[in-house]
Amino acid sequence: MLVTGIEILQDAHKNNYAVGAFNVNNMEIVQAIIEAAEETNSPVILQASQGGLKYAGVEYIAALGKLAAEKAKVPVALHLDHGTDFDQVMLCIRHGFSSVMIDGSRFELEGNIAITKKVIEVAHAVGVSVEAELGKIGGTEDDIVVDERDATFTDPKEAKKFVEETNVDYLAIAVGTAHGVYKGEPKLDFERIKTIKEMVNIPLVLHGSSGVPKEAIEKAVSLGINKINIDTDLRMAFSNAIKDFLKENPDNIDPRKILGPAKEAMKEVIKEKMELFGSAGRA
Ligand code: 13P
C-alpha cells in the first residue's frame, strides 16, 4: 500500500531502525525493490531523483511507483530525491508522490529555511511528508582537513533552529558520507549524529550510503539515522550482472534475458541492506 514517508519513518524513529530509500529509474528496478521488501517483510521507500524523472518521465515513474505500492503487501512511500526547486516538488505532489525532498542546501541557513517552509505549507496541506537537507553532502571529503569538513557538516544548533522554524518531517544531515563511489573508506562523525538526534528528535536521513562499511551503518542507525539512501550499490549490482551475462552470452539479444539476472542481482543487494538497516520484519 502507498503510505506517506512520515508514516514509515515515525515508526523507525520510535523503534530505532532505518528504512532503505532506493533510487528507481525503470520497471526492473522498481520490481527488484518491491520483491526484496516483500521477501523480507520490510517497509520501503522508492525514490526518484530529478535525473531519474528526466530519464523516464514523471508520469512513468509515478505510474510505476503507485502501481507497485498498491500491489505490495508492505508499506511503500514514493519519494522525490533532491528536489531543487518549488515547481519540481509541486509537479511530483500533483503526480501522487507521498513524500518529497526540498534540497535548499545550496542556500544560506535563512534561504534554506524559507524555501523549505514554502514547500511544507503546501505539502502538509495535502498530506505529503517533507525531507530537507542541512549542511552540504559533498562528493570528495576523503582527504579534506577538519576545518573544511566542519564547514560543510551539519551544525547541530542550526539543525535545531531549522527544525523548529520549518516543522520539517525528516532531515538529511552531512556527517561524512558522500554521493557516488568512495576512493577511500568514509569516516562518519558519529558524535555529530548523536548530538543532532538529541537536539531535533525527528527521523534523520543519511545520503551517500553506498560503500559505507556495515559497522558504520549499524552504528549510525543506533544513534538515530532512520532513512538510508542507496543508489550506487544498486547501479553496480545491476550493471555488473549485465556485463557478466553478455560476456557469457555475447550473441543474446533478448532484453528480458539480459535484464532478468540484473534485477535478481539488485534484489539480493537490497535484501542484505534491509537486514542491515533493521527494517526487515517491520512491515
Ligand atoms: P549513493 O549513490 O552513494 O548510494 O547515494 C544515494 C543518495 O544519497 C541519493 O540521494
Side-chain angles (χ1 to χ4, degrees):
M1 75 216 85
L2 182 71
V3 300
T4 61
I6 194 61
E7 250 179 277
I8 288 178
L9 294 175
Q10 197 59 47
D11 191 69
H13 171 62
K14 261 196 228 140
N15 295 300
N16 211 229
Y17 65 93
V19 177
F22 303 99
N23 285 75
V24 301
N25 299 292
N26 67 15
M27 183 187 76
E28 283 78 6
I29 300 175
V30 170
Q31 289 174 333
I33 298 166
I34 296 296
E35 285 173 24
E38 289 188 327
E39 286 173 27
T40 59
N41 195 31
S42 173
V44 72
I45 298 169
L46 300 175
Q47 64 182 11
S49 67
Q50 292 181 166
L53 295 175
K54 205 166 161 196
Y55 169 77
V58 65
E59 293 90 349
Y60 277 88
I61 293 288
L64 279 171
K66 285 188 286 184
L67 176 67
E70 238 172 68
K71 288 186 61 162
K73 296 179 197 75
V74 294
V76 179
L78 180 59
H79 175 76
L80 167 67
D81 187 27
H82 291 285
T84 50
D85 63 74
F86 185 77
D87 292 358
Q88 175 72 71
V89 174
M90 293 305 119
L91 185 72
C92 289
I93 291 178
R94 199 154 57 77
H95 280 87
F97 281 54
S98 61
S99 174
V100 289
M101 175 180 188
I102 176 68
D103 179 356
S105 63
R106 65 191 180 283
F107 300 120
E108 292 301 314
L109 180 63
E110 292 306 329
N112 194 352
I113 288 175
I115 190 167
T116 302
K117 277 176 88 165
K118 190 173 162 190
V119 162
I120 285 177
E121 189 180 350
V122 181
H124 281 182
V126 292
V128 172
S129 335
V130 179
E131 172 180 339
E133 176 173 322
L134 189 63
K136 270 197 199 87
I137 299 158
T140 52
E141 91 288 355
D142 222 7
D143 29 48
I144 294 176
V145 286
V146 175
D147 284 11
E148 258 182 72
R149 280 173 53 128
D150 272 337
T152 57
F153 279 16
T154 308
D155 178 325
K157 282 202 207 80
E158 281 191 6
K160 187 171 162 54
K161 175 180 159 80
F162 188 91
V163 169
E164 279 171 4
E165 290 192 20
T166 60
N167 197 24
V168 72
D169 296 298
Y170 23 103
L171 185 67
I173 54 172
V175 289
T177 55
H179 297 109
V181 180
Y182 289 100
K183 290 196 192 84
E185 193 173 292
K187 296 265 177 295
L188 271 66
D189 187 342
F190 296 111
E191 204 49 45
R192 195 176 292 267
I193 299 176
K194 186 168 176 274
T195 309
I196 296 171
K197 187 71 170 192
E198 281 164 7
M199 289 177 81
V200 303
N201 196 29
I202 63 167
L204 296 178
V205 185
L206 191 66
H207 283 242
S209 311
S210 294
V212 176
K214 281 186 179 165
E215 303 70 36
I217 292 285
E218 276 166 0
K219 192 160 179 193
V221 172
S222 77
L223 295 172
I225 294 293
N226 304 112
K227 174 176 180 277
I228 300 187
N229 289 10
I230 298 281
D231 188 7
T232 302
D233 279 348
L234 304 194
R235 291 179 179 200
M236 287 202 298
F238 199 78
S239 47
N240 286 340
I242 291 176
K243 284 180 210 164
D244 289 347
F245 178 82
L246 288 175
K247 210 162 143 195
E248 279 167 35
N249 307 276
D251 298 327
N252 198 299
I253 56 153
D254 184 342
R256 296 167 299 184
K257 293 276 185 325
I258 299 166
L259 296 181
K263 181 182 121 180
E264 289 305 314
M266 190 182 253
K267 183 163 106 181
E268 288 314 308
V269 172
I270 297 166
K271 282 165 73 173
E272 277 172 30
K273 302 282 183 198
M274 289 169 163
E275 299 288 346
L276 175 65
F277 300 165
S279 68
R282 297 282 187 171

